[in-house]
Amino acid sequence: MFIVFTKQRISKNQNKYADNIRYELANYLAVHKQAKEAISQFKILLKNNNQNPFLYANLGTAHVESGQAEAALNYFRRALESGILGILSFFGIVLSL
């Protein structure tokens, strides 16, 4: 129910808050082991903000959860290239792959 309600809020609020709502939805999906849908939502966010290292890091984590190690490594690299040096919590995941 939460997911349906949140998607409705996004479609009604195509403004600066829609991305915030979508980001929360993507994180919710990731935490609740719905990696495929989380990946989809994070990729939509990247279209508007492709310099956000946290989006790349979250995409990497979602790909780890979905068993896509190579894609995860690519997104973690992109996160590092986007300027986040404090990504060490995610970096531990990359090293374990």
Side-chain angles (χ1 to χ4, degrees):
M1 186 63 155
F2 171 79
I3 296 169
V4 172
F5 174 73
T6 303
K7 286 183 177 180
Q8 288 172 347
R9 286 177 56 205
I10 292 169
S11 66
K12 289 180 182 176
N13 295 301
Q14 291 300 324
N15 56 34
K16 63 180 180 177
Y17 300 111
D19 282 350
N20 292 340
I21 296 167
R22 186 177 304 281
Y23 184 76
E24 293 302 322
L25 172 62
N27 283 312
Y28 175 88
L29 292 165
V31 167
H32 288 86
K33 305 300 182 193
Q34 297 180 40
K36 185 176 179 181
E37 182 67 23
I39 289 167
S40 173
Q41 296 299 319
F42 283 127
K43 285 183 176 181
I44 292 169
L45 288 165
L46 274 179
K47 291 178 184 176
N48 295 332
N49 189 358
N50 65 358
Q51 294 301 311
N52 185 329
F54 295 104
L55 290 177
Y56 289 114
N58 288 340
L59 263 166
T61 302
H63 278 85
V64 167
E65 291 294 324
S66 68
Q68 301 175 46
E70 190 65 34
L73 285 172
N74 289 331
Y75 282 111
F76 287 131
R77 283 187 194 109
R78 297 281 302 268
L80 290 170
E81 290 167 1
S82 295
I84 185 168
L85 298 177
I87 198 167
L88 296 178
S89 62
F90 292 103
F91 196 72
I93 294 171
V94 174
L95 291 177
S96 69
L97 297 174

